[in-house]
């Protein structure tokens, strides 16, 4: 796939459904009594892995072009799968489902692709084991494949070392089955979609500062879920609109939950011309985002904002490479344990395009303003790397070749088509 420089991007784009919320709608729908209807579900490979796992756990799920219907059987309605569950490339599926399986009256084996088999699972094995679960990393390396033998669970008061919604959610889901209250505190608040949606499905869950608290529940009730557009996918068009000269893009119906909106704050702080329109603050808040070409300047990104933009740091790196001055990213060591080591992979690929970037222990330092040139990009099967460099290619001299371009199917199957439509308006 070759991408070359363009003169401007114009028009509207409607972003597919949020990945985190789509996963949770299937999971909580499966555990609720009755039929949950989900609109604007993300038909990305990760969310399809979640559907596949719950079908193997005995839940009937109808996937039609306009909606998903999940025929939930209640908290105790899952049945033992006849085969190993395959979570594909999805960390969210792997970690959240482990919290549910920890309480089931059967044994499950769970694994995923090569990337999943390298990602750290100790962060869920430890707290779920403290609750009484029996979870074994089959290869003894604290990674998948995992063998989970469900047990009666008891509530814990857990202080997580990492700000991770996947860890928090796994514990909260196990907490639905525990014999008392379960509390999870984190150093910085991570995305709170589980808390919002569990409450909507009738769970007894609330937050006190950085602590989420859940009490066991006899049953959840099926709901209607309308999934907002994914701000992590919108981020590529936010960046493109800012860095490609002569651009104006309207990005429609994007989720702007404050635990996810760091990209907007950073883009504005860097000097980006961004306007929110049609804000709707019910449940998961949404807005249309109008983006215009802007001259950006470097900033420091650190501390509490990091979990709110953790998946957007690759595309923020591209903005930083174009910006005047230095951008410093700190407190983001989690980048090393995502779908790829995103510190190393960003340094390798951005350097290949002529940018000045240095990796650090917990982030990177980028001296912006260097002219970028086309290059061969190695995605390391990481969807966010592919999309970030597809945007960088739009402002680089010469041709950029993205090896493994189709990996965008994980979170944004229509990414290249949507990008082409914005180009054809120019
Ligand atoms: C996710 C949480 C984040 C994020 C991932 C999706 C979720 O991971 O990077 O893409 O849906 O809960 P961590 O919670 O591990 O930081």
């Amino acid at each position: 796939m070759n991408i070359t420089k363009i003169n401007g991007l114009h028009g509207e784009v409607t972003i597919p459904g949020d990945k985190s919320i789509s996963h949770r709608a299937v999971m909580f729908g499966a555990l609720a009594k009755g039929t949950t209807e989900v609109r604007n579900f993300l038909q990305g490979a990760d969310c399809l892995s979640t559907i596949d796992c719950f079908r193997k756990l005995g839940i009937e799920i109808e996937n039609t072009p306009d909606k998903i219907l999940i025929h939930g059987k209640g908290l105790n309605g899952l049945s033992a799968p006849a085969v190993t569950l395959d979570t594909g490339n999805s960390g969210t599926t792997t970690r959240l489902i482990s919290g549910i399986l920890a309480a089931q009256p059967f044994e499950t084996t769970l694994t995923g692709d090569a990337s999943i088999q390298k990602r750290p699972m100790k962060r869920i094995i430890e707290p779920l084991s403290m609750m009484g679960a029996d979870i074994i990393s089959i290869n003894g390396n604290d990674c998948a494949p995992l063998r989970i033998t469900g047990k009666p669970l008891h509530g814990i008061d857990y202080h997580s070392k990492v700000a991770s919604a996947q860890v928090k959610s796994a514990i909260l889901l196990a907490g639905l089955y525990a014999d008392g209250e379960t509390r999870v505190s984190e150093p910085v608040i991570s995305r709170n979609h589980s808390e919002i949606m569990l409450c909507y499905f009738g769970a007894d869950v609330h937050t006190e500062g950085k602590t989420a608290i859940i009490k066991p529940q006899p049953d959840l009730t099926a709901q209607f879920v309308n999934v907002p557009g994914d701000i992590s996918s919108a981020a590529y068009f936010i960046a493109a609109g800012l860095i490609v000269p002569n651009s104006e893009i309207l990005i429609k119906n994007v989720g702007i939950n404050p635990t996810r909106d760091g990209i907007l704050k950073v883009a504005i702080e860097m000097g980006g011309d961004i306007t929110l329109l049609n804000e709707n603050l019910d449940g998961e808040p949404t807005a249309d985002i109008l983006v215009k070409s802007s001259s950006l300047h470097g900033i420091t990104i650190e501390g509490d904002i990091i979990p709110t933009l953790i998946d957007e740091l690759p595309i923020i790196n591209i903005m930083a490479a174009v910006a005047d001055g230095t951008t410093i990213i700190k407190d983001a060591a989690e980048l090393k344990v995502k779908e790829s080591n995103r510190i190393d992979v960003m340094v390798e690929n951005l350097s290949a395009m002529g940018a000045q970037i240095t990796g650090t222990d917990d982030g990177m330092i980028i001296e912006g303003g260097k002219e970028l040139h086309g290059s061969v990009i190695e995605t390391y099967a990481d969807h966010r790397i592919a999309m970030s460099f597809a945007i960088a290619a739009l402002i680089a001299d010469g041709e950029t070749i993205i090896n493994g371009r189709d990996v965008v199917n994980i979170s944004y199957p229509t990414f290249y088509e949507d990008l082409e439509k914005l180009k054809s308006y120019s």
Side-chain angles (χ1 to χ4, degrees), residues 349-361:
N349 286 312
L350 254 183
S351 303
M353 290 185 90
Q356 176 146 7
I357 173 168
T358 313
T360 64
D361 259 3

Side-chain angles (χ1 to χ4, degrees), residues 22-55:
S22 296
H23 280 301
R24 286 160 172 80
V26 172
M27 294 188 184
F28 305 170
L31 300 182
K33 276 206 167 135
T35 299
T36 287
E37 178 176 331
V38 187
R39 296 270 172 165
N40 201 33
F41 178 81
L42 173 65
Q43 296 284 350
D46 270 10
C47 298
L48 297 178
S49 293
T50 293
I51 290 186
D52 179 60
C53 288
F54 279 89
R55 282 183 175 150

